[in-house]
Amino acid sequence: MSDLSALIRKLDLDEKIAQLNGMILPALFSVRQEPGVDLSTEEGRRAAFFVDIDRIAELRPHGLGHLSLAWMLPLPAEGLRRVFADVQAKAREVSRFGIGTLIHAEGLNGLVHGTGIQFPTAWAQAATWMPELVRRSTFLTGAQFRDYGIHLCFSPVLDVVRDPRWGRVHETFGEDQELAAQIGVAFIRGINGSEGDTGVLATGKHFLGYGSSDGALNQARTSLGRRQLTDEFAVPFRRAIDEAGLSVVMNSYNEIDGVPAAANPWLLTDLLRGELGFTGLVVSDYDAVTMLHSVYHTARDQREAAAQALSAGLDVELPADESFRKLREAVETGLVSEEAVDTAVGRVLEVKRDLGLVPDYVPRRRLRAPEPLDRTTATAVGREIAEHAVTLLENDGTLPLRPGTKVAVVGALADELRIHFGAYTDVANAEVPLAMQLIRSGQVPGIDPEKYIFTELFNTRIPGIGPRFETMTREQHPDTPTLLGALSAVPDLDVTFVDAGSPDATGPIDADAVLGAVRDADVVVAVVGERTGWAGEHTAGEGQTSARLRLPGNQHELVSVLARAGVPLVTVLITGRPLVVPDIAEASAAVLLAPLLGAHGPATVADVLTGAVEPGGRLPMTFPRDTGQLPLFHGHPYGSGYAHPTGRRPGYNDLDDGPLYPFGHGLGYADLRVGLDDVTLSDDGSTLTVRTRTTNGGDRDGSTVIQVYARDEHGSVVRPVRQLIAFARVAVRAGGSTETVLEAPVSRLFYTMADGTRGIEDGDVTVLVGTSSERIADSRTLSVPALRDDAR
């Protein structure tokens, strides 16, 4: 607590507790009765709406620690700045010592608000394999947070996820800890600044193992051992702490070996603060503390829930104070000590001090002046992410489309804009009020609005709402075409549209009509996918788990019918997670993945289809052939999974082993080949240096991602068959070649050994270089000495 100890001693217990919980911004929403305004109408309520700042003193008389759900304020930019400034002033006024409030918002792919700068979603960011590009985007996001007066960005999602049935895959950086670590570190550096001086702090979430729940059910148990959690799933957090100064972490909703993450001392204290060396603030995911009582039944009441969470190492309850309001009782009855409260308060105040929210205490780093919002640059960066995220999965030479080609574009999603957006976007955010209005007014069949709670929104189906969401999306992005519109605008293509096949369809395809409509085309482009979001009829998103990873509606049947047309078929797959699509791969001459690119999606996909842009994406996750293979990932241990360098292992008797598309896979239009020149080990045995040469044998400029994997050939505990340890995107001009040197610390191969120490034992390590986890160009084996992790 250092110099803040004196201030903490001056706070009474109620003032301390006030720093450890939040208040939701909607608690301040009110309507003002004005003459002539009809509050029974939506228009009248909007006209009378205001934020009642004075209620802060009533609701939080001892101080306002945190303001949650800040993005739910339906105001333009200037209105947001004004309200947040007024909230801040009132919070300081209420506090005896003038302590300000931490204002939170979501920023996974830009500020979640109608005025927020938007980028392609996290899964698409990972598909670029370009950390520096991600850093550039999040720097712009952080600038907007600072401009509005928001302090905590509740991103990135550092969960390693290997089961695509989980609906939140698109919020993650994929299955591999190294890719997630490098992209995550870059994300945080963009938000925080390289010196932690931007005035905004990123929040790493969700600690830990949230994306590996039983059955991929959201918030369910995680059945992983401590070694796997530490050596694989904690890696992005470890690296973010060490390399980016991560100072805020959010717990996960799951339970591990019978102990919920929100009250797990091994997780939040021994592992996070002990082994990983974290010294910052741990905040709860929304309602996670209350769930100790209401869901997991490890606490008999909210008082016990508060005591369990605080004792385990969780500092702040969000979004409000459902359980932490009972902390005074918990202290007075001996369930938790006031010293534990003081420790948590110290962590809150350290963050507030460093953001300039504690009077008379100077931030440890001087905060830089706010950056002006640069929307022109943001648009260019978003487009660059999209171009390097679009992933060509199959191609027999049909793509790119040639000038003069007669193209039949088939599928309802070709003329839909909403399909390109995920959750945690401006679009999804705008949909929530409409969905809640329909629920609360009793317009959703089977739902009792009197018993409904907000968190059930994610699981509630609202039939028929899709067209309204599409209209709202077009209103929010009036200058963004659909994919059909973007292709139709290409001057040297002859485009016709066939409106057949839909994720909403319940009936069969009219095969004769479809085949007749595409008969004269040179190429058919089928546009298929699934919708991702928070509310409505989405099949992916928070709270959405799929037992079968198939395209909804009659889209599989559509592709099957089109395969009979005798015309080359190009399938555009719009999704934020792997799906089971072997039938589509077999039917298609080319398959192009568009991984939720937002407003940048339609034009970028059109440019890739026509060859104006090189498809740059590489898969951040493995595509399975069947749901029964899950979990399926490239870095599985010896004796498990599908790759067995030391011999054959039993596989499935009804399915070919291995993935449909492996991790790291992605094709281009240029003829690029990667070769391995040399691998050396530094004199102290700590660093691997890999020298490669990439040659372009064609007549088109292009780029690829050099991927360096390593395999520990022997260990006292079972090791993975491969680990990604380094990667780099390299661009090569037509007919040229370039040398690339990649370095990787041997510590990327460290693991928890049988004696509990962390490091690597002496022995052979094979280094593999290629352009995917399975497309390996060459390898070298060299001897590595034993090394130990003595950093802690």
Side-chain angles (χ1 to χ4, degrees):
M1 291 182 287
S2 64
D3 60 331
L4 290 163
S5 300
L7 175 59
I8 294 171
R9 286 193 296 269
K10 295 176 183 177
L11 299 176
D12 63 32
L13 183 56
D14 290 325
E15 289 171 324
K16 293 174 183 177
I17 293 170
Q19 294 300 316
L20 304 185
N21 56 59
M23 181 181 73
I24 61 172
L25 182 61
L28 304 178
F29 291 178
S30 188
V31 291
R32 185 182 287 110
Q33 182 66 63
E34 300 283 357
V37 175
D38 183 2
L39 295 182
S40 66
T41 67
E42 183 66 24
E43 182 180 353
R45 287 190 293 272
R46 280 200 302 268
F49 170 85
F50 76 107
V51 180
D52 189 356
I53 303 298
D54 291 335
R55 291 202 69 204
I56 293 175
E58 170 193 344
L59 297 173
R60 294 293 186 271
H62 305 290
L64 179 58
H66 306 261
L67 187 70
S68 305
L69 299 176
W71 68 89
M72 295 191 71
L73 188 57
L75 291 177
E78 188 50 48
L80 284 180
R81 295 187 192 98
R82 182 179 65 254
V83 167
F84 293 155
D86 289 346
V87 167
Q88 200 64 257
K90 179 58 70 171
R92 290 183 180 276
E93 179 184 315
V94 169
S95 168
R96 274 198 305 150
F97 301 97
I99 302 170
T101 185
L102 285 171
I103 300 177
H104 314 154
E106 301 283 352
L108 189 65
N109 31 253
L111 174 64
V112 178
H113 189 267
T115 66
I117 297 170
Q118 302 292 294
F119 299 99
T121 199
W123 206 59
Q125 295 167 29
T128 69
W129 292 57
M130 297 176 69
E132 176 57 23
L133 181 57
V134 173
R135 187 203 64 79
R136 287 166 55 198
S137 74
T138 57
F139 178 81
L140 294 164
T141 297
Q144 186 166 30
F145 271 61
R146 178 76 181 280
D147 177 57
Y148 283 5
I150 304 170
H151 308 98
L152 295 190
C153 174
F154 280 169
S155 301
V157 174
L158 297 176
D159 294 300
V160 172
V161 58
R162 291 165 176 171
D163 192 332
R165 292 176 297 172
W166 191 50
R168 302 188 72 172
V169 168
H170 71 289
E171 300 175 38
T172 77
F173 301 132
E175 73 178 46
D176 183 85
Q177 59 263 36
E178 180 63 29
L179 180 61
Q182 290 203 36
I183 300 292
V185 165
F187 190 111
I188 295 162
R189 286 175 174 167
I191 296 292
N192 292 13
S194 57
E195 302 297 326
D197 58 356
T198 62
V200 182
L201 294 176
T203 302
K205 60 186 191 181
H206 308 84
F207 201 79
L208 187 65
Y210 179 37
S212 292
S213 57
D214 288 0
L217 293 169
N218 198 45
Q219 303 180 355
R221 179 179 65 175
T222 294
S223 297
L224 299 174
R226 289 188 175 185
R227 177 180 279 107
Q228 190 175 9
L229 284 166
T230 302
D231 293 348
E232 298 176 34
F233 290 81
V235 167
F237 291 91
R238 183 191 298 272
R239 297 275 291 282
I241 294 164
D242 289 346
E243 300 174 25
L246 179 66
S247 56
V248 186
V249 163
M250 178 181 284
N251 76 280
S252 55
Y253 282 119
N254 56 329
E255 59 101 338
I256 299 170
D257 198 24
V259 184
N264 194 319
W266 173 77
L267 204 65
L268 301 180
T269 298
D270 298 347
L271 178 59
L272 179 61
R273 298 193 184 278
E275 181 163 343
L276 303 192
F278 181 72
T279 60
L281 179 68
V282 177
V283 301
S284 84
D285 207 338
Y286 287 5
D287 293 326
V289 178
T290 299
M291 286 170 63
L292 300 175
H293 165 58
S294 63
V295 174
Y296 292 117
H297 299 268
T298 59
R300 284 173 289 191
D301 52 32
Q302 293 165 329
R303 182 181 62 178
E304 280 194 3
Q308 287 177 6
L310 191 72
S311 299
L314 190 145
D315 302 310
V316 174
E317 181 186 17
L318 299 176
D321 63 342
E322 191 71 18
S323 294
F324 270 27
R325 71 178 66 175
K326 302 290 186 178
L327 270 177
R328 168 174 276 283
E329 294 179 30
V331 171
E332 290 174 342
T333 57
L335 287 176
V336 68
S337 68
E338 188 166 353
E339 288 76 14
V341 173
D342 289 351
T343 297
V345 171
R347 293 168 182 155
V348 172
L349 293 181
E350 284 179 353
V351 169
K352 289 191 173 186
R353 174 198 61 198
D354 290 344
L355 294 173
L357 296 174
V358 182
D360 303 323
Y361 288 85
V362 178
R364 286 178 292 184
R365 299 175 185 84
R366 183 175 181 178
L367 300 181
R368 69 173 68 175
E371 300 277 343
L373 292 183
D374 187 348
R375 291 184 179 270
T376 300
T377 297
T379 299
V381 171
R383 171 64 188 227
E384 190 174 354
I385 291 173
E387 291 177 358
H388 288 97
V390 173
T391 308
L392 186 60
L393 301 176
E394 300 265 2
N395 189 25
D396 67 355
T398 299
L399 292 181
L401 300 174
R402 278 68 172 173
T405 301
K406 295 170 64 176
V407 182
V409 179
V410 187
L413 294 182
D415 199 31
E416 179 179 310
L417 190 56
R418 174 61 183 83
I419 188 68
H420 296 277
F421 293 82
Y424 291 93
T425 60
D426 58 344
V427 167
N429 188 53
E431 294 167 353
V432 170
L434 173 59
M436 291 304 300
Q437 176 188 346
L438 294 175
I439 292 167
R440 287 170 175 163
S441 61
Q443 298 182 54
V444 179
I447 299 297
D448 183 352
E450 298 299 322
K451 299 179 180 179
Y452 192 83
I453 60 174
F454 176 77
T455 51
E456 293 175 327
L457 174 71
F458 304 135
N459 307 104
T460 300
R461 314 306 293 170
I462 308 179
I465 202 171
R468 298 180 69 175
F469 283 177
E470 175 67 11
T471 298
M472 293 169 60
T473 304
R474 296 190 184 208
E475 290 173 349
Q476 285 178 273
H477 296 273
D479 299 324
T480 302
T482 63
L483 178 52
L484 175 63
L487 282 171
S488 298
V490 178
D492 51 6
L493 287 184
D494 181 1
V495 175
T496 59
F497 176 51
V498 181
D499 188 0
S502 165
D504 307 311
T506 56
I509 296 290
D510 186 340
D512 291 339
V514 169
L515 291 173
V518 304
R519 183 176 297 116
D520 295 331
D522 298 320
V523 174
V524 173
V525 175
V527 183
V528 299
E530 66 170 347
R531 300 190 187 99
T532 304
W534 280 322
E537 298 176 287
H538 305 299
T539 54
E542 189 166 353
Q544 298 289 333
T545 296
S546 302
R548 294 176 298 275
L549 286 167
R550 291 176 57 82
L551 291 165
N554 58 7
Q555 296 180 95
H556 283 277
E557 183 189 357
L558 173 67
V559 173
S560 177
V561 169
L562 291 172
R564 292 156 37 196
V567 179
L569 173 62
V570 174
T571 301
V572 176
L573 178 62
I574 306 171
T575 177
R577 60 178 174 174
L579 297 175
V580 175
V581 290
D583 56 329
I584 289 173
E586 183 177 356
S588 304
V591 179
L592 188 67
L593 171 67
L596 300 187
L597 306 174
H600 303 282
T604 302
V605 172
D607 282 348
V608 170
L609 290 172
T610 59
V613 167
E614 179 87 359
R618 302 295 183 267
L619 288 179
M621 282 186 75
T622 302
F623 270 59
R625 297 179 184 275
D626 191 274
T627 308
Q629 294 175 287
L630 300 177
L632 187 74
F633 56 100
H634 84 91
H636 61 79
Y638 280 105
S640 300
Y642 64 90
H644 305 290
T646 56
R648 191 161 178 247
R649 293 281 297 174
Y652 297 101
N653 61 20
D654 57 352
L655 185 74
D656 289 340
D657 264 357
L660 178 65
Y661 301 118
F663 172 79
H665 172 70
L667 307 175
Y669 296 147
D671 181 17
L672 298 180
R673 290 180 172 82
V674 173
L676 174 59
D677 287 345
D678 192 24
V679 179
T680 58
L681 185 67
S682 62
D683 291 342
D684 62 359
S686 66
T687 305
L688 289 162
T689 300
V690 181
R691 290 177 171 82
T692 68
R693 181 165 297 277
T694 306
T695 303
N696 188 336
D699 58 2
R700 180 185 175 112
D701 297 347
S703 73
T704 190
V705 176
I706 301 170
Q707 301 169 34
V708 180
Y709 298 87
R711 179 170 60 242
D712 191 348
E713 298 291 0
H714 176 78
S716 58
V717 296
V718 179
R719 306 305 307 128
V721 296
R722 69 175 73 85
Q723 289 178 255
L724 180 70
I725 61 170
F727 57 87
R729 182 175 290 277
V730 55
V732 188
R733 291 193 172 276
S737 67
T738 185
E739 182 182 3
T740 305
V741 178
L742 300 91
E743 289 190 347
V746 174
S747 60
R748 290 181 183 169
L749 298 173
F750 280 9
Y751 53 93
T752 303
M753 291 177 284
D755 63 1
T757 62
R758 191 168 179 274
I760 187 172
E761 295 155 292
D762 65 297
D764 287 345
V765 168
T766 299
V767 176
L768 310 98
V769 173
T771 52
S772 84
S773 58
E774 290 198 347
R775 194 176 180 183
I776 300 300
D778 205 351
S779 64
R780 299 282 192 279
T781 299
L782 64 166
S783 180
V784 172
L787 295 172
R788 294 292 186 271
D789 184 2
D790 55 3
R792 306 287 175 228

